[in-house]
Amino acid sequence: MPRFTVHVRDEWLTVPCKDATCSIKWLGFEALKRYIKNKPDNGGIQHIKDVHFGVKRCQGLGLLDNDDTIVDVLEDNDFVELGNITNMVYMFSVCREIDYISLDGNSLTSTDLVNLGKGLYKIKLTPEAEQKVVQSRELLDTIVKENKVVYGITTGFGKFARTVIPVSKLKELQENLLRSHSSGLGSPLSPERTRMLLALRINVLAKGHSGISLETLHSMIEAFNASCLSYVPEKGTVGASGDLAPLSHLALGLMGEGKMWSPKSGWADAKYVLEAHGLKPISLKPKEGLALINGTQMITSLGAEAVERAEAIAQQADIIAALTLEVLKGTTKAFDSESHRFCDRVQDAYTMRCCPQVHGIVNDTIEFVKKIINTEINSATDNPMMFAERGETISGGNFHGEYPAKALDYLAIGVHELASISERRIERLCNPSLSELPAFLVNEGGLNSGFMIAHCTAAALVSENKVLCHPSSIDSLSTSAATEDHVSMGGWAARKALRVVEHVEQVLAIELLAACQGIEFLRPLRTTTPLEKVYDLVRATVKPWIKDRFMAPDIEAVHRLLVDQKVWNIAGPYIEKYCMEYIPESRPSSPTAFALDPPPSPRKRVRLE
């Protein structure tokens, strides 16, 4: 019985097919059924029969006709991807000829790295990088030939740094290093995050200070371009001598051991996955095992994703806050008592009035952290490092993850405030004594609970974030027989920063849903054009809340809108236009706040129209 592996959103599902004369459309629906079966919210899919999807081959990126029979267009164990038909056509048109990013070890950005993780680009080296790699390897070969004693090249590691290894066993030394250090635990990184990890390690090696051979580096690039991705557990690094455990797992697969995944083969023994793509396992030369695992790439690649997602949600948080300000009938003239002459309020609450200050420091925090992450992305983090131009090797501490660890702890603390202030705005939307709207934003309260527990969910996420914001980098446990006696704990800093960012996205999704629901009670009044377009975007995904229904799919659907930056894409052009017309010295992509009336002070307020 043929089996097919179908990629639905972020999951890979195996679908057996008893009758190969079934259509591609049947295969898609079977995959969808399996996808929603394991989701408590049905994956945000309310009516499966109403879903319109496209199916394409993962290998070759061919878009398939839904009416084709499986036997005519697929082979047993083929991999296909299910998605929105519009996006499928777009993906097919742009990915048939995938562009390359040229790595030189000096110019990669966090944005580039995230896009590499998504599979939007392949990798190649610049000629200058190749030359540096060759020169560095020549220096290392000379050291081996002359029987010099250099840490990690002709000696053991850590506590065994004074143990000299015979030349005949240097290959075994490097292989043993990868095998013994592949001791991580936990769930494997997703294909996207493993791609980022591999791309970043390639970028560091391209600097030409690691002593790796050009042959081995090219093998890594070929594996990346074929999406042959090792099984890398997320736990096990203390971020000191680099991310030793995860990077060892990454290298172990390239060596043809352990497990590996590719779109063509799925999960299988690494040697078979490489073989399926016509690739050979790397054969380690002296020092190459160490060159593959010394570095902060686990911390930094996950940190790059965290800071990119933080930047995206911070932009959209301003827009959501503006929508809430409208629904709560807030004022843009926060210090003008005349603005409230028809009500008993003189000033708005801090959650509305102080948005520019609270959101503003988050933007500055993200900018600060992004600079550190981008520096770390292009830093030499190996040990020992080779300096071919000086004919010298240096044992240093560039592998220590303190910089990205501290920065990512700071990122978590900073971006959390977006959720903290958002949850308070949700409270104001749901509380009739504060909003002048029906309790919990629903008619027939009592019979219907409306947004009562959605607010509780936001409160739960904010509370969880408070624990996650406790810095991991203030901890240190001595390892390697007190040789590595101060460590950064940066791996956990990166993972929890990502979790904090995700919680922030989810809380703001709830606020966006609540604000759009509040608009329903204010019709026929209308807000500004960009905010109406945001409302239309949400309503194209989630219907108004007339009476109680299963709410989790609504929250997840709007969360996906934010992750895909669709709210920003809708409102962003209006913001940029306003900034250019009214405050040309400001940066269009980082407005401080939004309001709906002409701002009393351009330095403090940015309105949408």
Side-chain angles (χ1 to χ4, degrees), residues 331-349:
T331 178
T332 61
K333 300 177 180 178
F335 302 101
D336 183 357
S337 61
E338 290 299 305
S339 66
H340 281 294
R341 63 182 181 273
F342 298 120
C343 69
D344 59 0
R345 287 178 293 166
V346 177
Q347 299 180 90
D348 289 327

Side-chain angles (χ1 to χ4, degrees), residues 358-506:
V358 176
H359 287 208
I361 187 57
V362 176
N363 289 327
D364 289 345
T365 300
I366 293 168
E367 184 179 359
F368 172 80
V369 173
K370 189 169 185 176
K371 182 178 179 181
I372 289 177
I373 292 297
N374 280 328
T375 298
E376 194 74 15
I377 283 173
N378 296 292
S379 295
T381 58
D382 205 346
N383 182 58
M385 289 197 292
M386 320 296 295
F387 293 89
E389 67 277 8
R390 307 201 314 247
E392 186 178 5
T393 65
I394 295 179
S395 280
N398 275 22
F399 48 60
H400 202 292
E402 194 75 5
Y403 251 105
K406 280 284 186 284
L408 292 169
D409 279 337
Y410 184 31
L411 178 69
I413 294 168
V415 76
H416 160 70
E417 287 304 308
L418 295 177
S420 180
I421 196 171
S422 173
E423 181 274 328
R424 290 290 80 204
R425 292 194 297 262
I426 297 169
E427 156 70 10
R428 302 192 75 81
L429 287 165
C430 291
N431 189 334
S433 64
L434 301 174
S435 68
E436 300 177 10
L437 297 168
F440 305 112
L441 300 169
V442 71
N443 287 320
E444 294 188 89
L447 175 64
N448 296 299
S449 296
F451 279 70
M452 181 188 295
I453 304 305
H455 172 235
C456 288
T457 299
L461 293 173
V462 169
S463 181
E464 190 170 330
N465 270 4
K466 291 175 183 177
V467 177
L468 291 172
C469 284
H470 179 81
S472 67
S473 61
I474 63 174
D475 184 30
S476 177
L477 289 172
S478 180
T479 60
S480 192
T483 302
E484 299 159 6
D485 56 347
H486 183 277
V487 302
S488 73
M489 298 300 181
W492 176 223
R495 289 195 294 117
K496 69 186 185 63
L498 268 171
R499 191 179 299 181
V500 167
V501 171
E502 182 179 48
H503 289 170
V504 170
E505 295 165 347
Q506 291 166 335

